[in-house]
Amino acid sequence: MSESKFDYSGLKRVVKIGMSYRGLFTAVVIVAILSAIVSTYRPYLMKDAIDQYILLKDLPGLFQFIFIIVAVLIFEVILQFFVIFLANKIAQRVIKYLRVRLFNHIIRFKLGYFDRTPNGVLVTRSVSDIETIAEIFNNGILTLMVDALRIIFMISIMYYMNWSLATIVILILPLMVVITNLFQKALKKVYQAERTLTAKLNTFVQERLTGINIVQLFNRQAAEFENFKVINKELRTAFLKTNVYFALLFPVVDVVSAVAIGLLLWFGGLRTALEGDVSVGEMIAFISYIGMLTQPMRQIADRFNAIQRGLIGADRVFKILDDDQTLPNKGNEFLNEVKGEIDFKDVQFSYIPDSPVLKGISFHSEPGQKIAIVGATGAGKSTIINLLSRFYDIDSGDILIDGKSIYSMELKNLRSHIAVVLQDVFLFNSTIYENIILGKTNISLEEVQKAAKDIGIHEFIMSLPKGYHSEVSERGGTLSVGQRQLISFLRAYVYNPQILVLDEATSSIDTESESLIQNATEKLTEGRTSIIIAHRLATIQNADQILVMDDGKIVERGTHSELLKQEGYYNNLYEVQFQTNE
């Protein structure tokens, strides 16, 4: 969004969403018009009370007229309540719509987007930036409309009462417009800096809390606290700049208002004394109108600033909504059953252009075979399973399942036939049972319990305080690595996939869980095609085929015994591990 121009396209887009709630929008417009008319009429009633009753000492008539004024005041208060209430209701519906749409949009993005975008930035966009959009309605266009109508009605009624006095009052309007415009431009830059620093602070806090074990392990508490204070100070400075501008704006408006009242008293007083064509009631009414006129002018500056703040948030949100980072899902083939035949044909892939990670990978797996992939860190092992699940798209070549390219298959259908058990198991802050079924409500608790018994982990789960209904903290922090791994095995098992991927699933387990995981692995891989990425060569000795990778290429392939006979890369790796274990 331009630094110097008002984002009319963004405002139009936000208002269009608000206007989709036609009943509410129409109601708030009608109430706003009535509120502007009633509030403008009040000083005129005061003029009549002074000129027709107070100066003439008509006390009975004055008391009756006071009841009319009180009734008008009560009606005005009721109308103002409904303006604020309805405006807030529209705002909350708009941000609910945008937040749901934004989250639904983000969770479909390809993994490459999350690799280069900090989670804290996305949290800021989804929460605080959307909250600022509410200000466009809460304290923005709808209340701005009321203020604008009041100004129009006040100018009209003042000219109806006395055109000469009205002209004096109107002279302050151009000056107020200039002041408002200057402050609006200055505040826009401050608000943009404020939103940027808010996202930066959110990202910093989110990363440090996620990696709190690293922070404490390397005694980084003091250093990270100092870094936090620096960012927090920058954010405080941005907020203080906003306050400084407002602290300047309001006194300037008050000075302009005082000058207008002084001119009115001087000119109106002379006309009253010399000509007698300006009444006392008119003078008091005009003084009230000056206060009422400068108040919305002051508020208009505030309204524009609220709109500006909301539009900066909207600009950030719409940029994500307009950015299509989803993987192309043009496949139209749906496979009800998959045998599990897998073919990689000369697959080349790079996360970063011109930096290939896989350099012509080709292999074939028969249905039900167990394929193991070994190699040094960074050889490209995990990349293979990311491509099989279509988390990323390849640069060239093809990947086939049962003779059909995965790019011809509908994406959700493809992934429904594949289950992945990762080394770093992610568990949500929910119950064991809910972490296993992951929202698949057609999997009953009884089915989960039967599956747990099949792979031998039912007793472990029942040993937890509430069994399958035990709460799991964020990322499964209350469970050991092995326990989290067992739950991920069960999660994969109940989904009954035709293709199973184990990514370093047994590389960091504790002794207590090792035998359980070995049994679960045997049960899980039985009768289904399995791709196992492992550091422990002892766990893959019975694999039907072992692929040895180095620098993005398959350098050796064969069974365990065949590879040992070659006395190459695999044999050296095996001997190193054997000697280490000894």
Side-chain angles (χ1 to χ4, degrees):
M1 190 166 62
S2 170
E3 290 287 341
S4 59
K5 294 182 180 179
F6 191 81
D7 186 15
Y8 289 103
S9 61
L11 179 61
K12 182 180 178 181
R13 195 167 173 181
V14 173
V15 172
K16 187 177 180 181
I17 297 172
M19 290 180 67
S20 63
Y21 306 101
R22 293 183 181 180
L24 272 177
F25 205 86
T26 302
V28 76
V29 169
I30 292 172
V31 174
I33 293 172
L34 289 173
S35 175
I37 292 172
V38 171
S39 61
T40 304
Y41 187 57
R42 182 164 36 87
Y44 189 84
L45 289 176
M46 292 174 58
K47 175 191 80 72
D48 287 345
I50 294 170
D51 290 341
Q52 297 179 21
Y53 300 101
I54 294 176
L55 293 180
L56 298 178
K57 299 181 180 180
D58 183 359
L59 295 181
L62 177 62
F63 284 126
Q64 292 179 0
F65 205 76
I66 287 174
F67 282 115
I68 296 174
I69 295 175
V70 170
V72 169
L73 281 171
I74 293 173
F75 188 44
E76 182 182 352
V77 169
I78 293 172
L79 290 172
Q80 287 178 346
F81 166 79
F82 277 105
V83 167
I84 296 171
F85 175 77
L86 293 174
N88 276 271
K89 196 168 184 178
I90 291 175
Q92 291 305 313
R93 291 196 176 184
V94 169
I95 64 174
K96 177 188 174 184
Y97 166 81
L98 284 174
R99 187 171 286 140
V100 168
R101 187 179 165 195
L102 181 65
F103 183 76
N104 190 44
H105 188 61
I106 289 174
I107 60 175
R108 285 169 169 75
F109 280 4
K110 53 191 174 186
L111 289 187
Y113 179 84
F114 299 100
D115 293 340
R116 61 179 182 271
T117 307
N119 288 339
V121 170
L122 296 177
V123 170
T124 302
R125 301 293 177 268
S126 303
V127 181
S128 57
D129 278 340
I130 285 186
E131 289 290 346
T132 63
I133 296 175
E135 290 298 306
I136 295 176
F137 295 95
N138 290 344
N139 196 32
I141 56 171
L142 296 175
T143 44
L144 182 64
M145 179 180 64
V146 176
D147 292 337
L149 287 172
R150 281 177 181 162
I151 292 173
I152 293 170
F153 291 148
M154 278 188 284
I155 292 173
S156 301
I157 201 167
M158 282 190 292
Y159 270 100
Y160 171 77
M161 290 167 55
N162 191 304
W163 70 269
S164 56
L165 293 182
T167 302
I168 293 176
V169 175
I170 296 305
L171 290 176
I172 69 170
L173 289 180
L175 184 58
M176 292 296 298
V177 170
V178 171
I179 293 171
T180 301
N181 190 46
L182 290 174
F183 276 94
Q184 181 228 330
K185 288 181 178 179
L187 280 164
K188 178 178 178 179
K189 294 180 180 179
V190 176
Y191 285 145
Q192 286 176 325
E194 176 190 311
R195 300 313 307 157
T196 300
L197 288 169
T198 300
K200 183 178 178 181
L201 185 65
N202 286 343
T203 300
F204 181 90
V205 173
Q206 190 267 339
E207 286 181 346
R208 270 58 184 182
L209 293 179
T210 301
I212 189 65
N213 56 336
I214 300 299
V215 171
Q216 295 183 355
L217 182 64
F218 288 92
N219 294 317
R220 292 284 302 169
Q221 295 96 322
E224 296 300 344
F225 178 63
E226 291 301 319
N227 292 334
F228 174 82
K229 288 201 298 184
V230 170
I231 301 173
N232 197 43
K233 185 178 179 180
E234 291 174 350
L235 184 58
R236 182 199 65 182
T237 303
F239 274 108
L240 286 176
K241 282 184 180 179
T242 305
N243 294 331
V244 167
Y245 282 122
F246 276 113
L248 287 171
L249 172 63
F250 295 151
V252 169
V253 171
D254 289 338
V255 168
V256 174
S257 174
V259 170
I261 292 173
L263 289 173
L264 181 70
L265 289 173
W266 173 74
F267 182 78
L270 287 176
R271 294 296 297 265
T272 301
L274 299 176
E275 305 292 337
D277 58 348
V278 177
S279 68
V280 175
E282 284 178 331
M283 285 291 295
I284 293 175
F286 269 89
I287 291 173
S288 296
Y289 278 128
I290 289 175
M292 291 178 66
L293 195 62
T294 54
Q295 181 182 2
M297 289 301 295
R298 175 196 290 177
Q299 288 176 338
I300 281 176
D302 191 21
R303 307 302 187 217
F304 269 110
N305 294 329
I307 292 172
Q308 194 68 67
R309 186 193 294 249
L311 288 178
I312 291 170
D315 179 61
R316 295 168 183 264
V317 171
F318 288 142
K319 278 182 179 177
I320 296 179
L321 286 173
D322 295 337
D323 187 12
D324 186 8
Q325 291 289 336
T326 56
L327 279 172
N329 188 17
K330 298 178 181 179
N332 52 16
E333 290 197 53
F334 289 79
L335 302 182
N336 294 324
E337 292 184 7
V338 168
K339 296 177 182 178
E341 181 183 4
I342 299 174
D343 280 292
F344 271 61
K345 293 188 175 182
D346 194 26
V347 172
Q348 303 204 31
F349 171 76
S350 54
Y351 293 103
I352 302 171
D354 300 322
S355 299
V357 177
L358 298 184
K359 305 169 184 177
I361 296 295
S362 297
F363 67 88
H364 172 78
S365 170
E366 293 291 341
Q369 278 193 338
K370 187 184 297 182
I371 307 294
I373 305 176
V374 300
T377 301
K381 305 184 300 296
S382 296
T383 300
I384 287 179
I385 65 169
N386 285 335
L387 299 181
L388 179 63
S389 302
R390 266 206 77 192
F391 291 133
Y392 301 88
D393 278 346
I394 60 178
D395 298 336
S396 63
D398 203 358
I399 303 172
L400 295 86
I401 295 178
D402 289 357
K404 297 184 182 296
S405 172
I406 63 172
Y407 297 97
S408 68
M409 298 172 62
E410 197 276 331
L411 190 57
K412 289 177 65 177
N413 179 255
L414 166 68
R415 291 176 179 169
S416 68
H417 299 297
I418 303 172
V420 180
V421 179
L422 299 172
Q423 176 186 4
D424 183 18
V425 178
F426 187 95
L427 298 179
F428 294 95
N429 187 11
S430 185
T431 65
I432 297 285
Y433 172 65
E434 289 167 343
N435 267 287
I436 291 169
I437 65 170
L438 290 179
K440 201 170 183 180
T441 54
N442 61 338
I443 302 176
S444 66
L445 177 60
E446 290 73 21
E447 290 177 285
V448 172
Q449 290 173 333
K450 181 180 182 303
K453 292 174 183 176
D454 287 344
I455 62 175
I457 66 171
H458 175 71
E459 291 183 5
F460 144 65
I461 296 177
M462 292 306 296
S463 68
L464 298 173
K466 294 182 181 179
Y468 289 85
H469 297 291
S470 298
E471 290 285 336
V472 177
S473 65
E474 185 179 0
R475 301 186 68 90
T478 54
L479 302 174
S480 70
V481 174
Q483 289 172 332
R484 294 199 297 270
Q485 200 67 266
L486 289 169
I487 291 172
S488 70
F489 271 87
L490 181 56
R491 179 160 63 192
Y493 188 67
V494 297
Y495 266 68
N496 192 28
Q498 287 81 20
I499 298 173
L500 175 69
V501 177
L502 303 179
D503 184 7
E504 307 285 5
T506 58
S507 64
S508 57
I509 56 176
D510 52 84
T511 305
E512 182 181 351
S513 303
E514 185 169 3
S515 61
L516 286 174
I517 289 180
Q518 290 295 340
N519 292 333
T521 301
E522 292 176 8
K523 185 69 177 178
L524 200 56
T525 57
E526 185 180 322
R528 53 172 56 92
T529 304
S530 304
I531 297 179
I532 303 171
I533 297 174
H535 279 146
R536 293 187 181 187
L537 302 187
T539 63
I540 58 169
Q541 290 184 20
N542 62 345
D544 297 295
Q545 185 181 176
I546 300 174
L547 307 177
V548 184
M549 293 191 65
D550 184 38
D551 191 28
K553 299 176 182 178
I554 297 176
V555 294
E556 295 176 8
R557 69 180 76 204
T559 63
H560 174 70
S561 58
E562 290 171 347
L563 290 173
L564 288 180
K565 291 176 183 178
Q566 294 180 21
E567 297 185 355
Y569 190 103
Y570 181 83
N571 182 67
N572 293 335
L573 190 62
Y574 181 77
E575 287 184 355
V576 168
Q577 285 199 12
F578 180 77
Q579 291 172 2
T580 302
N581 291 336
E582 285 294 315

